[in-house]
Amino acid sequence: MARIIAVANQKGGVGKTTTAINLAASLAAAKLNTLLVDCDPQSNATSGLGLGKDAERNSTYKMLVGECDAASSLQGTELEHLFVLPAHKNLIGVNFELVDAENREFRLRDSLVPLREKFNFIIIDCPPALDLLTLNSLVSADAVLIPMQAEYFALEGVSELLDTIERIRAALNPALEIEGVVLTMFDDRTNLAQQVTAELKRFFGEKLFATTIPRNVRLAEAPSHGKPVLLYDDRSRGAESYVQLAREIIAKHMPGFDAFAEPPQPESPEQEEKQVVNAPRWRRWRERNKLITMDLKG
């Protein structure tokens, strides 16, 4: 059964969609069947994976209003194990069209039930508001992943979200957990970042992920190319951070699963050179300058 994780924070600009896209891509890169559900009318998770705007295509909007089912809405991506359930700007209408509908809070949960056996993880990208779409996402989720910046206003926003989660637990989804808090756009050189991190550590304890997501230009550039950062620049700090976040989540829920296993390297004359500090960088420098290194052990 898939673990459903809603990426939520009602404060905008904290990296929810970036986290949803790149976490889903990193899980898929570990050869885990992963579904990204775009529940944001802005449809940034959809375009961030290379899907254009198409009002005729089956989407989360049509699914929630009952015009199609989830299975018929799935779209493939460049990653073999990653699928997306796309959104459309019409999704904003759900907040009004379903206001008097029966079981309106359970529409997404009921739609995802047939897909849970087909995927290992289902990641839901929530809109930056505590509306009916976010409510549907939290009711259908097993856990909430909270991305936030290391800033004072972010602390205030998280307290409101935690209050909402408690209300949903009491009334609609008693099994809802907090997957964890991940710091995004993180700059550990500032005193404020260090102070906020210490405060979150005291409050959340082990729920605060060890991985932090740095400010990284590659993360900002990747959506304009319709790719997760792992496909745009897999050596960037942003890509490495989301892979590490995926490792933490996989280790928690799938102990023993060897995520991102590296194939054994064949023995070669270069093997001794790899023991030198910063060997890969040294080799690049040597090759660029056509120099011959000395045998330091001789």
Side-chain angles (χ1 to χ4, degrees), residues 42-92:
Q42 296 177 83
S43 309
N44 290 334
T46 301
S47 61
L49 287 175
L51 276 70
K53 297 179 180 179
D54 184 356
E56 302 302 318
R57 179 177 58 208
N58 286 347
S59 62
T60 46
Y61 167 71
K62 291 187 176 182
M63 183 184 74
L64 290 173
V65 298
E67 294 182 14
C68 68
D69 61 6
S72 66
S73 305
L74 299 185
Q75 300 288 325
T77 68
E78 289 187 54
L79 287 165
E80 179 184 355
H81 296 276
L82 178 61
F83 295 82
V84 61
L85 209 165
H88 187 267
K89 64 181 181 180
N90 291 342
L91 190 59
I92 191 67

Side-chain angles (χ1 to χ4, degrees), residues 13 15 17-19 21-22 44 47-49 184-185 213-230 232-233 236-239 242:
T17 299
T18 299
T19 296
I21 291 173
N22 292 295
N44 290 334
S47 61
L49 287 175
T184 58
M185 306 176 203
I213 311 300
R215 289 189 180 274
N216 181 250
V217 68
R218 296 303 192 198
L219 282 173
E221 291 173 350
S224 66
H225 295 268
K227 297 175 181 289
V229 72
L230 199 60
Y232 179 63
D233 185 354
S236 65
R237 291 178 63 213
Y242 277 111

Side-chain angles (χ1 to χ4, degrees), residues 43 94 117 206 234 240 274:
S43 309
V94 165
E117 294 183 358
E206 294 182 355
D234 63 345
E240 291 172 354
K274 290 181 181 178

Side-chain angles (χ1 to χ4, degrees), residues 4 16 27 42 54 91 132 136-137 155 174 196 209 291 296 298:
I4 301 179
K16 285 189 303 297
L27 292 169
Q42 296 177 83
D54 184 356
L91 190 59
L132 184 57
N136 263 267
S137 300
L155 288 174
V196 171
F209 283 103
L291 296 178
L296 299 179

